[in-house]
Amino acid sequence: MATRSETRELIMEPPNLSIEEEEFEPCEHYNQLEPDTAAAFTRSLPSGSMMVKQVSSCSTSVVNGLSKQIIDEMNAIVPGVLVTFDSFNVSIGPAVWPYLQQPAKEALGRAIADRGQTLSVNSAYRTIAQQLILYNHSLRRRCGISIAARPGRSNHQSGLAVDINDPQGWRPFLERQGWSWLGRKDPPHFNYVGGETQDIRSLAVLAFQKLWNKNNLNTQITEDSAYGPQVESCLNKSPIEGFGATPPGGGSRTLRLSTPRMEGDDIREIQQALANAGFQLDLDGVYGSGTAAAVKEFQAKEGLEADGIFGPASRTKLLKPKL
């Protein structure tokens, strides 16, 4: 477990950011795009795997699988850096990640206890995968979004922000506990400004870099906590369901060279199809270096990007029906 001093070393300071100029986001509009019931959440999910850059639907909940892996990796690097508040008297939708830094969580709990009512939370922690979806939408003017912070720059990646219903009713209770209302430009948004917190936004970037490197042994990236073109490209190419996970709605997972190695009957099926196509590899059901190399050869032969990642495009080419 990391000590307090080690934690400070792991969490790098991001560039000086101005909330007014670089971090402001119309959270009220974002929240209206998210499903508010389990049924609506299920309907929002695509069928099959896709990459983050391919998401065109307005809800960020489509990337929940990858988001959970990023949160888990953050807590693996710095244990307890994000803690859940879902045991409080709160109402949260299926797209909400109910995580905060510990001091913010405790202050939120005191405010809820003081008022004695259920707090309806529309947004709390937002992962960099969710943030990239919003940022991509803003670049393309989709979903009515014209402005969004770049991943790692939103205060929703700080673990110190919540968007809520009835903000004016809750305002005096939250402000007494160290929360600050952002103002009329973003009515549902509150930031925790009390002490004993840290800027953890760069930790989210480091967590993704580590997650990517574990699952992409052939395309390693620098683990420096800095969000730049390389990280954005890799995040855009990441599967929304998470690495090695089954896609929403069922279907086939994306296969890649990872640590630990991916295993299963689906890999054996791909290996057999590659062998039938004349490629040399072991039929052991493990996605190792030999299988990745055979996939790369196949991709190059078929005019695909030869990256050794076996996704929907490679699957269609290799397993297409024989006429």
Side-chain angles (χ1 to χ4, degrees), residues 223-234:
E223 296 180 6
D224 58 2
S225 304
Y227 188 90
Q230 183 187 51
V231 170
E232 185 165 299
S233 174
C234 292

Side-chain angles (χ1 to χ4, degrees), residues 154-165:
S154 170
N155 49 20
H156 273 282
Q157 272 106 72
S158 69
L160 302 172
V162 292
D163 297 335
I164 63 172
N165 289 333

Side-chain angles (χ1 to χ4, degrees), residues 27-265:
C27 294
E28 188 169 28
H29 175 61
Y30 296 169
N31 297 334
Q32 292 170 351
L33 301 175
E34 299 293 357
D36 56 2
T37 66
F41 170 71
T42 300
R43 289 195 299 269
S44 73
L45 297 176
S47 179
S49 181
M50 67 171 58
M51 293 182 286
V52 171
K53 67 181 179 181
Q54 296 172 314
V55 174
S56 60
S57 61
C58 296
S59 171
T60 65
S61 61
V62 298
V63 78
N64 273 7
L66 179 59
S67 289
K68 183 61 166 60
Q69 290 183 345
I70 292 172
I71 292 172
D72 288 346
E73 189 68 27
M74 291 176 68
N75 276 322
I77 298 170
V78 183
V81 71
L82 286 172
V83 291
T84 182
F85 60 85
D86 60 1
S87 62
F88 291 162
N89 185 15
V90 292
S91 172
I92 55 177
V96 177
W97 290 107
Y99 288 91
L100 292 168
Q101 292 189 45
Q102 184 68 36
K105 171 191 174 177
E106 293 173 357
L108 185 69
R110 291 192 297 268
I112 294 171
D114 285 349
R115 193 177 188 190
Q117 295 183 18
T118 300
L119 175 65
S120 179
V121 180
N122 296 316
S123 181
Y125 189 75
R126 185 188 301 145
T127 69
I128 58 173
Q130 292 176 294
Q131 193 66 39
L132 182 55
I133 290 176
L134 295 172
Y135 183 67
N136 287 343
H137 286 343
S138 74
L139 295 179
R140 295 162 180 79
R141 298 296 191 268
R142 287 192 298 238
C143 304
I145 297 174
S146 60
I147 182 173
R150 292 180 70 91
R153 289 177 171 250
S154 170
N155 49 20
H156 273 282
Q157 272 106 72
S158 69
L160 302 172
V162 292
D163 297 335
I164 63 172
N165 289 333
D166 187 22
Q168 290 309 306
W170 280 99
R171 183 178 174 186
F173 298 93
L174 288 167
E175 288 183 341
R176 280 198 293 269
Q177 301 299 334
W179 289 85
S180 176
W181 182 49
L182 192 55
R184 296 186 183 279
K185 63 182 180 180
D186 197 8
H189 188 96
F190 286 81
N191 291 318
Y192 180 68
V193 294
E196 296 299 316
T197 64
Q198 300 183 68
D199 191 333
I200 65 170
R201 287 173 292 186
S202 60
L203 178 65
V205 179
L206 177 62
F208 172 73
Q209 290 169 331
K210 288 181 174 293
L211 185 63
W212 175 271
N213 285 342
K214 289 177 184 177
N215 291 280
N216 294 274
L217 299 184
N218 287 334
T219 52
Q220 300 283 283
I221 59 178
T222 304
E223 296 180 6
D224 58 2
S225 304
Y227 188 90
Q230 183 187 51
V231 170
E232 185 165 299
S233 174
C234 292
L235 187 54
N236 262 320
K237 292 192 292 186
S238 297
I240 61 171
E241 68 272 14
F243 295 102
T246 300
S252 302
R253 57 179 177 161
T254 298
L255 307 175
R256 63 187 72 218
L257 192 60
S258 64
T259 302
R261 296 287 194 260
M262 300 176 72
E263 301 180 16
D265 291 338

